[in-house]
Amino acid sequence: MKPAFNAQTILDGYVKTRDGATLDEMHVRFAEVNQENWKHNDQRIRWLFWSFRLAVLALVLQVPCWLAAIGNAHG
C-alpha cells in the first residue's frame, strides 16, 4: 500500500514518536513519497492517455458511418 499524507499518519509517524522527526527528515520523506506516487501515477496516466486516443480514433471513424446510415435511411 502506498504511503498516505493524512494528518494521522504524519502525526503518528513523525510528530508523536519518541524522538520525533526533524523538519528536514520530514521534507526528505515527503519528497520520496511524492516521487514514488508520481512514478506510479505516471504509468496509469500513460495507459489512460493511450486509451483515450484510441477511443477518439474510434469515434472519428464512427461518425462517417453514422452519417452514411442516416443518409441511407432517409434516401
Side-chain angles (χ1 to χ4, degrees):
M1 184 172 164
K2 293 284 181 192
F5 284 126
N6 63 52
Q8 197 61 49
T9 301
I10 293 169
L11 291 173
D12 291 345
Y14 299 97
V15 179
K16 293 182 179 179
T17 61
R18 179 180 171 136
D19 296 327
T22 66
L23 194 54
D24 288 337
E25 291 169 337
M26 291 174 66
H27 285 157
V28 168
R29 182 61 187 137
F30 293 165
E32 291 169 348
V33 170
N34 277 335
Q35 183 63 29
E36 291 171 21
N37 289 337
W38 186 85
K39 285 180 184 178
H40 179 73
N41 290 335
D42 185 54
Q43 293 171 355
R44 286 185 176 185
I45 289 172
R46 285 178 191 268
W47 181 84
L48 289 172
F49 185 66
W50 281 104
S51 298
F52 178 73
R53 281 182 173 178
L54 183 60
V56 168
L57 178 62
L59 178 64
V60 167
L61 295 174
Q62 285 181 6
V63 168
C65 295
W66 293 339
L67 293 174
I70 292 170
N72 289 338
H74 294 287

